[in-house]
Every structure is written in C-alpha cells, then in structure tokens.
Amino acid sequence: ASSIVERRAEASFAYSPKNEFSQFEPNSAVWGENFPREYQSYLETSDTSFRSRYGGSATHDMLAEDPRLVVLWAGYAFSTQYNQGRGHQYALADVKNTLRTGAPAPGKASPQPNTCWACKSPDVPRLMNEKGIAEFYKGTWDTKGTEVTHTIGCADCHDSKTMNLHISRPALIEAFERQGKDITKVSHQEMRSLVCAQCHVEYYFDKKQIEGVAYLTFPWDKGMGMDSIEAYYDSHGFTDWTHSISKAPMLKAQHPDYELFQMGTHASRGVSCADCHMPYKSEGSQKFTDHHVQSPLNNVANSCQVCHREETDKLVQDVYVRQEKLIENRDKLEKLLVQSHVEAGKAWELGATESQMKEILIGIRRAQWRWDFSAAGHGNSFHAPVETARIVASGIELAGNARVELARLLATLGWNREVPYPDIETKEKAQKFIGLDMDALNAEKAEFVKNVLPGWK
Amino acid sequence: ASSIVERRAEASFAYSPKNEFSQFEPNSAVWGENFPREYQSYLETSDTSFRSRYGGSATHDMLAEDPRLVVLWAGYAFSTQYNQGRGHQYALADVKNTLRTGAPAPGKASPQPNTCWACKSPDVPRLMNEKGIAEFYKGTWDTKGTEVTHTIGCADCHDSKTMNLHISRPALIEAFERQGKDITKVSHQEMRSLVCAQCHVEYYFDKKQIEGVAYLTFPWDKGMGMDSIEAYYDSHGFTDWTHSISKAPMLKAQHPDYELFQMGTHASRGVSCADCHMPYKSEGSQKFTDHHVQSPLNNVANSCQVCHREETDKLVQDVYVRQEKLIENRDKLEKLLVQSHVEAGKAWELGATESQMKEILIGIRRAQWRWDFSAAGHGNSFHAPVETARIVASGIELAGNARVELARLLATLGWNREVPYPDIETKEKAQKFIGLDMDALNAEKAEFVKNVLPGWK
Amino acid sequence: MKFIRYLIPPPAWRFPVILALGIFAGLFGFSFYVSKAWSYLSDDPKTCVNCHIMAPQYATWTHNSHRQYANCNDCHVPHNNVLNKYFFKARDGMRHSYMFTLRLEPQVIHIKEAGQRVVQNNCIRCHENLLTDEPVLSQTLEAHHNRMDRQCWSCHRETPHGRVNSLSSVPYARVPLPESPVPDWIGRIMKTKK
Ligand SMILES: [Ca+2]
Ligand SMILES: [Ca+2]
C-alpha cells in the first residue's frame, strides 16, 4: 500500500535546479547533476557490448570485414583505418586513435585540420564562441588537442537555460540559410532530428572561401538528395582526392544519415531520429528521454513497439531483411568498382591519354559516389530502403558503362582480355596491394598515443 | 456473438427467394440474383475511365509507351501487341482481340494452345470437369472458341453452396502439392489472396509431361522468389523462345503479382489482395465486399485509409514515389538489354562462334528475366518495392557484365567501338526494326474479328 | 460448526491473531481506499485511470468517436453473461494491481490474447447489424463467420486507441477530464448575482 501512495506522489514531484552553469559548460557531469536520469542514461553510451547483424555499438573493423574498401579508397586516409561508429562516449577517443588523423609529434603536424574536431565535443561551440568560427577550423588538428577534451555532451544539443533543444553548430545553420530556410522556425518534432543533423550528415571542407581554412560545409544548396549533392560538387569543381590507381577525381561521402532518412517512410510520417534512437521512457510517473543513444535493435520494446504491435523478432527481421537485400547489390557494386579502378590503372600503364580517360574517370567518380552515399550511412538500408536501392542500382549502371568503355579502350591499347582481379582477400593484402606501409603507420601512431596523447587530457 | 448471427440467419432463410445453381454455372448473372450487391459491383469492372500515373483500368498500349519492349521480345508474340490489363469484364474480349492469339480461320490454327483460356473464364472449370484437365489444355486455342463464352465470374472464386472462397484451377493446387503444401489447410485470410493466385502468377506451358499438351504449370517447386524460379527453369532446361536478334535462350515472365507481393511489407503484416483491391464497402447499414476489382488508387478511402490515417494525396504519392524510383532504373536496364541484343547480333554478324557466345547469351537471358519479373507485375513497385529494386539492380549488373564480355569479343572480331543504338523511337519503327510486317498481322486479325468471332458468341 | 471450530486458534494465540487480523483488515481497507479499489466494480472509465499508466488508453479513447457509445468495459469485459463479466474483471484486476504495485509494468503495454478475444466479441456485439447482410444471410452463414474471424482492429487500426502507444505517448493529456469546465466558484458567484 505504501508503494501505491509513493507512486501517486511521484506524479506531482518535479526537479528544481541544483546547479548553475553557462551555455558553454563542456562538462556533462555538471549539467548532469540537475538531470540525473538523463545523465545516467547518457553515460550508458559507453557500453560496447551490443552487436546486431550489421550494426550495434561493438566495433566493426570495416576494412577487415570488407577489404575491397581499401582499394576503393586508395590514396585516401580512409584506406588506413575505418571502423563503424560506436557510442557518443567514444567520439573523442576514436578521433584521437584513428590512423586517419596521423601521428602528430613536436615539429610534425597532423595531416588533418582542426575541422575534424567539429563533431566530437561540446568544447567546439565553446571555442568557437571564444575565437570565432573560421579561427576555430584553422590550423592542423594537433594544434587544438589540449583544448578539446570532453566527448559529445549536453551542450551540443541543449540550451542551458530552458533545456530546449538547440543548434550549436554553425555549419547546419549556414546550410539552412543558403537554402533560404530559417532554422529558428522549425517545429519541435523537426528539432528532434535536427540536433542529430549537426553531425550525422554528408560534409566537405571548403578551402576556397577563406585562405588557409578548411571550412566545414554541408553541400545542400541544390537539395539534399544524392543527385543534388553530386550536382553541387560538380558545379563547384570539387574533388576530395585523386584515386591512386585509376587517377579518377573522387568524392567521399560521409554518413549522410539525415539526408537519406528524409527520403524514407518514417520521415514521411513525421517520425524523428529521437523517436527510435532516444525513445521516451517513464520511471514512475516521471517521463524522460533515454539518452543512451544506440541501435534501436537493442531497445525494440521502447522504440519500435510504441508504434508497431509486432513481436520483437519480427521487427528485427524487418530490419535485417532490408539490410540484406540492399547489401547484396552494394557488394556487387563494390566489386565492379575495384575492377574499374584496376582496369583504369592498366589503361594508364598501357599508355592511355588523358582525353581517352576523361569520361571513363568521371563515370568511376559518379559510380563510387553512389556506392559511398549508400554505404556510409550505417542506418540507410533501413532508414530509406527504396531510395538506397535506387542509388545502388544507378551506381551499378554507371560502373558497368565505364567498364564497357574501358574494355574498348584496353582493346585499342592492345589488351583484349580480363584484367586480373587483385588478391585482396584480407585487409593486410589489400593495404599492401595499394602500397601502404602499415607497420610504419602503426608504429608512428603508437608513438603518438604514448607520448603526445597523455598531454591532451 | 456467432449465435446471434445464426438466429438472424434462420429468420432470413424463411422468406428470402433463392436461385438454385450448380458449381459449374458459368453465368455470373445467375449467381448474381441471389447476391445483388456483389453482382452490381462486379459489373463495374467494365468501367475503363480510371487512369493512374502508371496503372488504372484505361488501356495502356505498352509497346507504344515504351518501344524498347518490342526489341526485348523480338521473335516472340509479345512484340506484336501488349497492353496493360484492365477490368475482369474484359478478360475474354482481350484474349480474343490481341494479336498474340493470331488470326485463326477455317483451315488455319491459332499459334496458341487452349491453355490461353485458362485464366479468362468460369467456363474453364466447367469444361475441365466435363473433359478432364489435360484434355482441356490440348489443341490450339481456336478449337474452344465456341465453348468459352463467359468472362471471369463468380464460379472462378466461389463455392456455390457456402459462397466460401475456393480454388477452381488445378495449376495452383498442383503447384502447392509439388511443394508439399496442402491448399485445403490454408487460413481464410490466405484464401483472400489465393483466389487471385490462380491467375495473377508467373506460369509456363510444360510440353514435356503429356504428349501434345501445353500443360499450365507454376514453376514454384524450388520456391516462389525470382531466383528460385530461375533455378527451376534452368534445371528443367526450359526456354520460352530464342531471341531473333541475339539468339539468346529467353524466359518470359508473366505477371508474378502474387509471388512478389509476398516479399513486401503488407504481406508480412497479413494484408491480403482483397483488402486493397476488393475492400469492404458499406451501403446503408450493410457491409459487403466491393467486387469492383480495380486499382486501389481509385478507391483510397475504403482501401488504404481504413488502415492509414493519411490524406488521400499523400497515400497516392506514396505509391507514385515508389513506382518512379523503381521505373527510373528499370528503364536503364531496358536500355542495356536493347544494347546487349544488338551487340550480340553484331557479334554473330562478324562471325562469332557458339562457344564464344554461350556465356554471354546466358547472361542476357538472366538479365532480361530479372527485368521482366520486375516489370510484368504491374503492381510490383508498390507491392514489394525493396525486393523489386533488388531484382532490377541485379539485372543491371548482369547486363553490364554481358556487355563487357561483348565489347571484348567484338574487339576480337575486329569491331572496337560502339554498336549504333537502333532507331526505335516509336512502336512502328521498333516493329519494323525487328522485321515484323504489322500491316499483314493487323489485316489478318481484322478478318478474324469480322468472320470468326461472331460465331464464338 | 465443527469445521469453524478448526479455525479458532488455541487460547494462547487468540490475542496476537486478533491483532494480526485487525492489522490485516486495516491494511486491506487502506489499500482498498487509496487505490480506489471499489471503483473496479463500476463501469466508469475513470476507474481505469486510477492507475496513471492507463492514461494513454484513456486519452486516446476520449478522442475517439467511441467515447460517446462505449466505455472501457463495453469493450474489455465479456458481456455474454454477468458472472463471466465479474470473473474476468476480478482476474484482470488482480494481475494489474499486482504488476502495478511491484512496478512490473512494461513501458509499452500489449493486450493479451484472452483480452483480444473479449474485445473482438464486443465489437461484433455492437456492430452486428452492419456485419450481416440479409440477402447473403438467407443463402449462407459462412460469409458472415468469415467476415468476423479477423481482428477488427487489424484494419481499423486507429480504433479506438490510435497507433502510438506507450506510457509516455500522451504526456499532456488531461486524465481524467475535469468534471465540469465551469469551476464551482464561478457557479457560486453567478448564483449570488442572480
Ligand atoms: Ca564528403
Ligand atoms: Ca513465364
């Protein structure tokens, strides 16, 4: 009986703020004192035990699971290391430990700019407020190692006075402005996705606007679809890197989660990211948002089943079936891309001219852009399966056409048979094939971790 | 609750007039006297006014809308005429008037067997009952013209005593048996789709089992998916026809509506064909099944909106968006197939050998099978968009690979450039390109319509 | 009488037993009072909302056309006979209060199979006229059974609770609705004015 009394009391109980702090407080523990439920669940993103068929918070070494990726990214840092993302607690640790940021040491700069911190920490808005936006991005990544010290936290998504959701990153606001949209006018439900869209989006570093600054930019001026973004890059003459085998002018897609999600059924029904990845939860009569941001497959009851009455198994299968059907063809596209790169490499070897290669290389760029756009968002196959499938199919077509042209060109150059498929059975073989000296890279990084990182705490 | 219904039934039995008829009564008007609401709505399938973006009951001349089809079917009757299906009232008229059944005349047989009547009339179960199944299929199509005279009707789907749904076609029962399944054990809800599966399925004519009989067979022994059916045909060494340009051993897919529907979201949630194509309707205080079988887009309120609260426009857009995304890539696959056929034709012309062509032609067969499987079911893009997209993408990959091989082979044969794309802008040009004498075919058919058809009433 | 005598404790135990029974009765009464258990015997929907966790269902029901015609018990309790009605209620009530008190309730409540059968029969009970078609009925019974063998809400998915369903899905709903939108004091002032 006393518990009934207690539980009726809960209904009228509310928290009163205990702690005062500023908007730029980067330490989530400070915010957390006022909001213990949210804070406790937020800390759970450090749990790495859940693994679903293709996702989850356990680390997947993507290059080991699929060594073709190494060849697709030959000449680009992604070929050295690429893991599937895990919980927000690891954002900072992972950007420091990845080979992609290199091994800065006294007198030796990181190959990456400070822009790489942009989506990893609430110190970012704080520093931007202190120094200015461009000034923050400026310089190599190692130069702010001592200043960016808190992983993704409350200040990234919340207003400190009202605890309303807010946008802390200029790139998103700027992208809205350039599209003629006002981000302050969006609905509460849209905010429940837009806070994620600060980071879970395709981006590039615009180096043309401000001398010496890799300015974080979302390429949405012509729209957020795969084709519109490609058109944007084409019209800006933008290229991420030149492929080291085929010499194709490549684009890299990074996690276009928000963009693709919008093309799916759930978005069209007004469902937001938080509905699945941060569902509401009630403890007693206290309702709060589960801040353990994670794969909904680890929490089907509170995410999917709020809207769907099917059994857990069935809902999980829904997700897997879509992922499988998509990945089957994405894998084929990957193979075609490996072939295209090595065939183009062969053509150069046999003396092909720039003008003979031009159209072919553009075909490869476009095909791989499609592959990457579909693959880089780890939720795409479920978020928007039909659009993702459309993108994959159009990539297969482009790769096939490029290979027909390559076959004709190779024949002209005197090579009229198959170009052998490289032996890239394992990540190690693939990295060797593209000419990486992994031992050296790993050794350097170990030095960095041992000598430099401790000073960044 | 059921006891109340029973009591009311007793009351009704007492004074309602009844018509007695047998299971083999082919005339729906006779059944209709007992069931006026169902009969009236059944007659509405003669309305041809509704046209949706890709479907509806208005006739679409598919070859005129997309002349590439003519080339894909070169050497096969479908290249002469192919329309999108319309209401059940027209089943008989359309099979009689299509060029595909040829122009039988005294002394001149139809190119088709009696099996072509199988899905057009309730005279079929009646005749099968009288003569036997194989005996019914036997002989050319013109030989039963005087006996098959009623369009699709009540006896096709209903038991005359209980009015329960029943299966009137042996092909479906046999297919279930060969799979080790018992069709008499299915649930009522499954029957609401299985009555449609008597006709809306992929089929072929098995000519090997019984001498001289084109026995209607559903190729499901290995499963109902696209790949399983292909494996079935391959293992039976079956080929529908040899393509007249490429000489590829082709398969024809016909309306695999039921098979693909099963791979979609709605089927996985237990929704049946009748739920959308024959939804309940209420008139006054009575609820009955709307027998105006048609595109649900002409009846969104009673089909979609009972389950979905969205606006009509939004639901219609859902359908169109999926159709568009699918058709975009299916069109690309179509173009690749036209190219493959003409490139293969060129290779033969330049003296290619059987052994050089073999694998390539199998590639073309498999690619076109995928295209046809996705295109022939007019509802596929909505019924199972993700599976349909998977099929299209895998077709594009196969066609691309075949073309790479063809490019290498053509180069070997001394032709190292593009094979010109044929001028097939219109249906007429396309039919001319593949060597059809349409004037002759149309004139013959007109004769048949004028002289023979009147005797078939 | 003999049988009652068995229940009477030996003299030495009498006082503690009476005390225990008293406390027990008192606690029972208290629980009964605090949890408004008496209201279980009524058909008033507010009964169900005694448990705040029933709020989503209450809120959605009040926004559905059924609120005028069907209360919770019209759907969720058997109506084929009176005994069954109270038996079902008692059994359900026991489980619900047990789970509620022990905080075993899931975030998202799912109706159980037995409950589904009850609801289905109640849909049919009210809508029977619509579901039967005289001309058809005069020929065959089967068509009617066929029409009722699927859960009505597999098509009528929004009836009556909508589709989004979780303890936290209708946070701001007024549950239960105020007795009267006119506060007492206004009534009083208006009366005195007259
Ligand atoms: Ca990018
Ligand atoms: Ca066929």
Side-chain angles (χ1 to χ4, degrees):
Chain A
S2 74
S3 73
I4 297 179
V5 176
E6 221 173 77
R7 299 203 63 190
R8 290 189 60 184
E10 275 169 12
S12 51
F13 185 80
Y15 288 103
S16 37
K18 296 181 186 150
N19 222 350
E20 291 286 345
F21 47 81
S22 96
Q23 181 59 54
F24 298 106
E25 174 57 60
N27 186 354
S28 294
V30 175
W31 299 56
E33 281 178 46
N34 291 356
F35 307 104
R37 285 196 174 85
E38 286 79 6
Y39 182 65
Q40 283 307 321
S41 57
Y42 157 86
L43 290 179
E44 287 170 34
T45 59
S46 64
D47 181 348
T48 55
S49 57
F50 179 70
R51 177 182 275 266
S52 59
R53 189 166 305 164
Y54 299 98
S57 44
T59 306
H60 291 243
D61 179 339
M62 299 296 280
L63 302 183
E65 287 180 10
D66 188 354
R68 285 180 296 237
L69 302 190
V70 174
V71 179
L72 301 194
W73 291 325
Y76 203 49
F78 271 85
S79 61
T80 61
Q81 186 175 6
Y82 171 56
N83 298 325
Q84 207 194 79
R86 42 186 180 153
H88 284 168
Q89 286 300 319
Y90 296 96
L92 217 51
D94 286 348
V95 73
K96 290 176 182 171
N97 286 296
T98 183
L99 291 174
R100 302 211 296 280
T101 42
K108 184 169 141 237
S110 162
Q112 304 290 2
N114 272 316
T115 323
C116 282
W117 297 113
C119 299
K120 310 291 183 250
S121 165
D123 287 311
V124 173
R126 177 180 65 79
L127 289 165
M128 285 181 165
N129 181 52
E130 289 167 16
K131 305 177 195 247
I133 303 170
E135 203 52 38
F136 173 84
Y137 295 139
K138 203 161 150 185
T140 58
W141 175 77
D142 48 301
T143 58
K144 291 211 174 60
T146 53
E147 299 183 83
V148 184
T149 55
H150 299 88
T151 192
I152 301 173
C154 321
D156 286 322
C157 301
H158 287 286
D159 177 273
S160 65
K161 293 263 165 329
T162 58
M163 285 313 280
N164 277 347
L165 293 176
H166 86 161
I167 304 298
S168 59
R169 295 304 193 276
L172 183 61
I173 301 168
E174 290 158 0
F176 263 63
E177 274 172 5
R178 288 198 311 280
Q179 288 181 285
K181 296 192 286 189
D182 183 351
I183 204 166
T184 64
K185 296 270 148 55
V186 303
S187 70
H188 169 234
Q189 181 66 357
E190 284 173 273
M191 280 303 286
R192 289 164 51 85
S193 289
L194 282 172
V195 289
C196 317
Q198 302 183 96
C199 303
H200 287 267
V201 292
E202 156 62 1
Y203 68 86
Y204 80 114
F205 295 162
D206 186 343
K207 295 180 182 155
K208 290 192 184 160
Q209 298 307 311
I210 303 173
E211 184 62 29
V213 173
Y215 204 95
L216 180 63
T217 311
F218 300 164
W220 297 344
D221 299 11
K222 293 172 191 281
M224 293 193 204
M226 177 279 290
D227 309 84
S228 313
I229 299 184
E230 181 180 51
Y232 172 96
Y233 284 136
D234 287 347
S235 73
H236 282 62
F238 181 77
T239 286
D240 273 291
W241 91 102
T242 300
H243 197 276
S244 68
I245 300 172
S246 67
K247 311 282 177 260
M250 305 303 290
L251 291 175
K252 177 80 190 74
Q254 286 98 341
H255 35 74
D257 300 316
Y258 177 71
E259 295 91 329
L260 259 175
F261 172 71
Q262 302 213 73
M263 317 284 268
T265 307
H266 284 99
S268 99
R269 295 297 184 262
V271 181
S272 72
C273 312
D275 286 327
C276 293
H277 291 284
M278 304 181 71
Y280 291 122
K281 210 170 151 172
S282 296
E283 265 178 28
S285 57
Q286 194 65 38
K287 166 187 144 165
F288 71 103
T289 298
D290 188 347
H291 279 61
H292 183 186
V293 180
Q294 63 171 333
S295 163
L297 300 188
N298 199 23
N299 188 18
V300 173
N302 291 352
S303 56
C304 321
Q305 285 174 339
V306 169
C307 301
H308 298 282
R309 311 314 255 162
E310 283 77 23
E311 300 287 332
T312 301
D313 276 0
K314 173 127 191 150
L315 289 162
V316 171
Q317 276 310 315
D318 281 338
V319 176
Y320 289 169
V321 164
R322 281 163 184 72
Q323 291 176 331
E324 267 166 15
K325 283 191 204 285
L326 263 296
I327 285 162
E328 176 188 326
N329 285 308
R330 213 177 65 205
D331 277 349
K332 291 182 187 156
L333 174 51
E334 250 171 62
K335 191 176 169 209
L336 294 176
L337 286 166
V338 171
Q339 291 173 316
S340 309
H341 286 301
V342 296
E343 284 159 2
K346 188 81 193 173
W348 287 118
E349 205 183 300
L350 296 170
T353 66
E354 299 263 341
S355 79
Q356 283 173 320
M357 292 296 282
K358 187 154 182 257
E359 286 303 314
I360 293 172
L361 297 184
I362 289 178
I364 296 180
R365 165 189 165 106
R366 296 182 64 210
Q368 182 155 329
W369 165 248
R370 280 160 179 72
W371 166 80
D372 212 354
F373 205 88
S374 73
H378 298 303
N380 290 354
S381 308
F382 176 74
H383 292 158
V386 184
E387 172 66 2
T388 307
R390 184 190 75 88
I391 293 175
V392 169
S394 78
I396 296 179
E397 195 239 359
L398 286 166
N401 289 348
R403 293 189 64 227
V404 170
E405 294 304 324
L406 276 165
R408 291 194 186 123
L409 175 57
L410 284 167
T412 313
L413 301 169
W415 181 281
N416 192 18
R417 55 204 152 93
E418 227 175 286
V419 177
Y421 192 80
D423 176 7
I424 50 170
E425 278 272 292
T426 64
K427 168 177 157 182
E428 288 68 33
K429 286 185 181 176
Q431 287 176 326
K432 213 175 139 207
F433 172 72
I434 65 162
L436 284 179
D437 181 352
M438 291 310 295
D439 291 341
L441 293 176
N442 283 321
E444 274 173 28
K445 191 81 195 188
E447 282 294 300
F448 164 77
V449 170
K450 199 170 130 226
N451 303 327
V452 181
L453 265 196
W456 286 12
K457 284 283 145 70
Chain B
S2 64
S3 63
I4 310 177
V5 178
E6 258 145 58
R7 274 202 308 280
R8 288 191 48 176
E10 276 163 27
S12 313
F13 272 126
Y15 54 81
S16 302
K18 263 202 278 186
N19 218 348
E20 292 286 348
F21 49 83
S22 96
Q23 181 59 53
F24 299 106
E25 174 57 58
N27 186 355
S28 294
V30 175
W31 298 56
E33 280 177 46
N34 290 357
F35 306 105
R37 287 198 173 83
E38 287 77 8
Y39 182 65
Q40 283 306 321
S41 57
Y42 156 87
L43 290 178
E44 286 170 34
T45 59
S46 64
D47 181 350
T48 55
S49 57
F50 180 70
R51 176 182 276 266
S52 59
R53 191 166 304 166
Y54 299 98
S57 45
T59 306
H60 290 243
D61 179 340
M62 299 296 279
L63 302 184
E65 287 180 10
D66 186 354
R68 286 180 295 237
L69 303 190
V70 173
V71 179
L72 301 194
W73 291 327
Y76 203 49
F78 273 86
S79 60
T80 61
Q81 188 174 5
Y82 171 54
N83 298 327
Q84 207 192 78
R86 42 186 180 152
H88 284 168
Q89 285 301 319
Y90 296 95
L92 218 50
D94 286 348
V95 73
K96 290 177 183 171
N97 286 297
T98 183
L99 291 174
R100 302 210 295 279
T101 43
K108 183 170 142 234
S110 162
Q112 304 289 1
N114 272 316
T115 323
C116 283
W117 297 113
C119 300
K120 312 289 185 252
S121 164
D123 287 310
V124 173
R126 177 180 62 80
L127 290 166
M128 284 180 167
N129 182 51
E130 290 167 15
K131 303 176 195 250
I133 301 169
E135 204 51 39
F136 172 84
Y137 295 141
K138 203 160 146 187
T140 56
W141 174 77
D142 48 303
T143 57
K144 291 211 174 59
T146 52
E147 298 182 84
V148 184
T149 56
H150 299 89
T151 192
I152 301 173
C154 321
D156 286 321
C157 301
H158 287 286
D159 176 271
S160 64
K161 292 264 165 324
T162 59
M163 287 310 281
N164 275 347
L165 294 175
H166 87 160
I167 305 297
S168 58
R169 295 304 194 276
L172 182 62
I173 302 168
E174 291 158 1
F176 263 63
E177 274 172 5
R178 287 198 313 279
Q179 291 184 86
K181 297 193 288 189
D182 182 351
I183 204 165
T184 65
K185 295 270 149 50
V186 302
S187 69
H188 164 235
Q189 180 62 6
E190 285 172 272
M191 282 301 287
R192 289 167 55 88
S193 289
L194 282 172
V195 288
C196 317
Q198 302 183 97
C199 303
H200 287 267
V201 293
E202 157 62 0
Y203 67 88
Y204 80 114
F205 296 160
D206 186 344
K207 295 180 183 158
K208 292 190 183 161
Q209 298 307 310
I210 303 173
E211 183 62 30
V213 173
Y215 204 95
L216 181 63
T217 311
F218 300 165
W220 297 344
D221 298 13
K222 294 172 190 280
M224 294 194 204
M226 177 279 292
D227 310 83
S228 314
I229 299 184
E230 182 180 52
Y232 173 96
Y233 285 134
D234 287 348
S235 73
H236 281 63
F238 181 77
T239 286
D240 273 292
W241 90 104
T242 301
H243 197 275
S244 68
I245 300 172
S246 66
K247 312 281 176 255
M250 305 303 291
L251 291 174
K252 177 77 190 76
Q254 286 96 343
H255 35 74
D257 300 316
Y258 177 71
E259 295 92 329
L260 259 175
F261 171 71
Q262 301 213 74
M263 317 285 268
T265 307
H266 284 99
S268 98
R269 295 297 186 265
V271 180
S272 70
C273 311
D275 291 340
C276 293
H277 291 285
M278 303 180 73
Y280 290 123
K281 187 173 170 177
S282 49
E283 256 178 33
S285 68
Q286 310 272 282
K287 189 168 161 184
F288 67 101
T289 299
D290 188 347
H291 279 60
H292 182 187
V293 180
Q294 63 171 333
S295 163
L297 300 188
N298 200 22
N299 187 18
V300 174
N302 286 2
S303 56
C304 324
Q305 284 173 336
V306 174
C307 299
H308 298 282
R309 277 283 154 100
E310 283 76 24
E311 299 287 332
T312 302
D313 275 0
K314 174 129 189 150
L315 289 160
V316 171
Q317 276 310 315
D318 281 338
V319 176
Y320 288 169
V321 163
R322 281 163 183 72
Q323 290 175 331
E324 266 166 15
K325 284 192 203 288
L326 264 296
I327 285 162
E328 175 188 325
N329 284 308
R330 213 177 67 207
D331 276 347
K332 291 181 188 159
L333 174 51
E334 250 172 60
K335 190 175 172 212
L336 294 175
L337 287 166
V338 171
Q339 291 174 316
S340 310
H341 286 300
V342 296
E343 285 159 2
K346 189 82 195 173
W348 287 120
E349 204 183 299
L350 297 169
T353 66
E354 299 263 341
S355 80
Q356 283 173 321
M357 292 295 283
K358 187 155 182 258
E359 287 303 315
I360 292 171
L361 297 185
I362 290 177
I364 296 179
R365 165 190 166 106
R366 298 182 63 210
Q368 183 156 329
W369 165 248
R370 283 162 177 70
W371 166 80
D372 212 354
F373 204 87
S374 72
H378 298 304
N380 290 353
S381 308
F382 176 75
H383 293 157
V386 184
E387 172 66 1
T388 307
R390 183 189 76 86
I391 293 175
V392 169
S394 78
I396 295 179
E397 194 239 0
L398 287 166
N401 290 348
R403 294 189 63 227
V404 170
E405 294 304 323
L406 275 165
R408 291 193 186 125
L409 175 57
L410 283 167
T412 314
L413 302 169
W415 180 280
N416 190 17
R417 56 204 150 92
E418 228 173 285
V419 177
Y421 193 80
D423 177 7
I424 50 170
E425 279 272 291
T426 63
K427 168 176 157 182
E428 289 68 32
K429 286 185 182 178
Q431 288 177 325
K432 209 174 144 210
F433 172 71
I434 66 162
L436 284 178
D437 180 354
M438 291 309 296
D439 290 340
L441 293 176
N442 283 321
E444 274 174 28
K445 191 81 195 187
E447 281 295 300
F448 163 77
V449 171
K450 200 170 130 228
N451 302 326
V452 181
L453 266 195
W456 286 10
K457 281 284 146 67
Chain C
M1 270 338 258
K2 225 178 161 192
F3 144 85
I4 284 187
R5 212 170 294 146
Y6 279 116
L7 294 178
I8 298 175
W13 287 19
R14 269 181 202 160
F15 180 70
V17 166
I18 288 171
L19 194 69
L21 279 177
I23 292 172
F24 209 79
L27 272 176
F28 181 79
F30 180 66
S31 307
F32 195 85
Y33 175 74
V34 175
S35 68
K36 302 190 187 169
W38 73 86
S39 58
Y40 272 80
L41 304 174
S42 87
D43 281 339
D44 187 347
K46 288 182 209 101
T47 310
C48 310
V49 203
N50 274 344
C51 292
H52 51 79
I53 72 161
M54 296 277 107
Q57 283 75 23
Y58 184 89
T60 46
W61 168 77
T62 56
H63 288 80
N64 184 270
S65 63
H66 279 90
R67 67 164 179 248
Q68 274 130 295
Y69 308 100
N71 60 40
C72 313
N73 287 337
D74 284 330
C75 284
H76 287 290
V77 169
H79 286 269
N80 48 355
N81 71 54
V82 182
L83 263 181
N84 208 348
K85 171 171 169 174
Y86 285 99
F87 172 70
F88 195 89
K89 268 185 121 167
R91 203 185 52 184
D92 250 23
M94 285 296 284
R95 190 180 70 243
H96 296 182
S97 45
Y98 163 80
M99 291 191 70
F100 182 77
T101 309
L102 295 182
R103 299 191 169 214
L104 292 176
E105 77 273 7
Q107 187 70 28
V108 176
I109 299 173
H110 283 277
I111 191 165
K112 304 276 184 303
E113 230 178 283
Q116 291 174 359
R117 276 193 302 273
V118 169
V119 175
Q120 176 77 2
N121 281 327
N122 282 324
C123 306
I124 295 171
R125 181 173 60 87
C126 289
H127 291 291
E128 190 236 336
N129 266 331
L130 185 77
L131 298 167
T132 48
D133 189 341
E134 300 302 330
V136 176
L137 209 49
S138 69
Q139 313 288 321
T140 165
L141 259 177
E142 267 84 350
H144 297 85
H145 290 302
N146 286 341
R147 189 172 300 177
M148 295 167 200
D149 68 357
R150 274 168 87 187
Q151 290 184 334
C152 308
W153 57 97
S154 69
C155 293
H156 301 284
R157 296 197 297 170
E158 308 272 355
T159 307
H161 294 303
R163 289 193 53 215
V164 177
N165 231 328
S166 152
L167 293 192
S168 21
S169 55
V170 283
Y172 308 117
R174 307 290 310 277
V175 178
L177 290 169
E179 295 288 329
S180 153
V182 183
D184 287 351
W185 57 269
I186 292 192
R188 262 199 323 272
I189 305 173
M190 285 169 64
K191 261 192 210 126
T192 48
K193 243 185 165 182
K194 258 190 219 148

